[in-house]
Amino acid sequence: MDSVRLAIVYYSTYGTNYAMAKAAQEAAEKMGAQVRLLKVAETAPEQVVANTPAWKAQADKTADMPVASAEDMQWANAYLFSAPTRFGVMASQMRAFIDTLGGIWAKGELANKAASAMSSAQNMHGGQEATLLSMYATFMHWGSIIVPPGYTDPVIFASGGNPYGASATANGEPLSDALKDSIRHQTQRLVTYAAKIAS
């Protein structure tokens, strides 16, 4: 699987999607994939972040994390995006990053690469599926090869039954073992198909 170069691109306000991205990184590296774990740039005003203790704590915790760039997207031959739901769509920070990729998209440099996505929301029906579908719509425009988990393993049902991608209820608790298993399965499936495409 060392032919797979996976960019795990995430945005995380309070830490849920960061934890999900870390779980995916561990699974991909265990398979032998090359992995870049990357956050997208914060676009919220510094004062807003500073005045929200949990948000600031997460920002401080990941201050040294590399920020995703177009170069990372060119390097990768597989993508796993993870972003929280905001009013039924992906957080604006992730959208802002995607909107910087027009130049390499126009050159076809995002096409023919395996891609998958994960999300979270404050409650079980807070828009995770709509958020995942909006990310997949973007991947379709890129010409990426979408690799959802589907119902390809019993862990999908154990973690909530979302065939579009792993999704968390962001309640401040650590990720459940069932969700970690779901993330692991989704990542393994993505890496497996990315290797097939790369061969």
Side-chain angles (χ1 to χ4, degrees):
M1 298 296 176
D2 59 358
S3 63
V4 177
R5 301 184 303 276
L6 175 62
I8 301 175
V9 181
Y10 78 91
Y11 175 72
S12 192
T13 308
Y14 303 119
T16 298
N17 283 269
Y18 171 69
M20 294 172 74
K22 290 286 287 183
Q25 177 188 24
E26 181 180 336
E29 289 179 342
K30 191 170 183 180
M31 293 181 75
Q34 303 173 59
V35 180
R36 290 186 185 178
L37 181 63
L38 307 155
K39 66 181 181 183
V40 300
E42 182 60 76
T43 58
E46 287 184 20
Q47 187 174 0
V48 172
V49 176
N51 290 338
T52 309
W55 196 345
K56 185 175 188 308
Q58 176 62 23
D60 291 345
K61 178 180 179 180
T62 58
D64 295 330
M65 182 68 65
V67 175
S69 69
E71 186 278 328
D72 293 307
M73 300 294 285
Q74 292 167 305
W75 166 84
N77 58 13
Y79 306 129
L80 179 57
F81 278 42
S82 190
T85 295
R86 295 288 182 266
F87 305 105
V89 294
M90 72 184 82
S92 62
Q93 290 86 345
M94 182 63 79
R95 187 74 247 169
F97 169 67
I98 289 169
D99 287 347
T100 69
L101 301 175
I104 62 172
W105 165 79
K107 297 176 184 176
E109 294 180 3
L110 299 171
N112 304 319
K113 299 180 181 185
S116 200
M118 306 184 295
S119 188
S120 67
Q122 191 173 10
N123 54 67
M124 187 178 293
H125 300 291
Q128 294 98 321
E129 291 179 3
T131 295
L132 292 168
L133 289 170
S134 73
M135 286 197 263
Y136 290 153
T138 294
F139 298 163
M140 284 185 249
H141 280 252
W142 291 351
S144 301
I145 311 302
I146 297 171
V147 184
Y151 292 118
T152 56
D153 192 281
V155 300
I156 305 302
F157 294 98
S159 64
N162 191 335
Y164 305 107
S167 61
T169 300
N171 54 13
E173 298 295 322
L175 302 183
S176 69
D177 288 342
L179 180 57
K180 288 179 183 177
D181 287 344
S182 182
I183 293 167
R184 188 176 304 113
H185 172 68
Q186 182 174 351
T187 304
Q188 290 169 343
R189 186 169 156 82
L190 174 62
V191 169
T192 297
Y193 280 90
K196 291 178 186 290
I197 293 166
S199 65

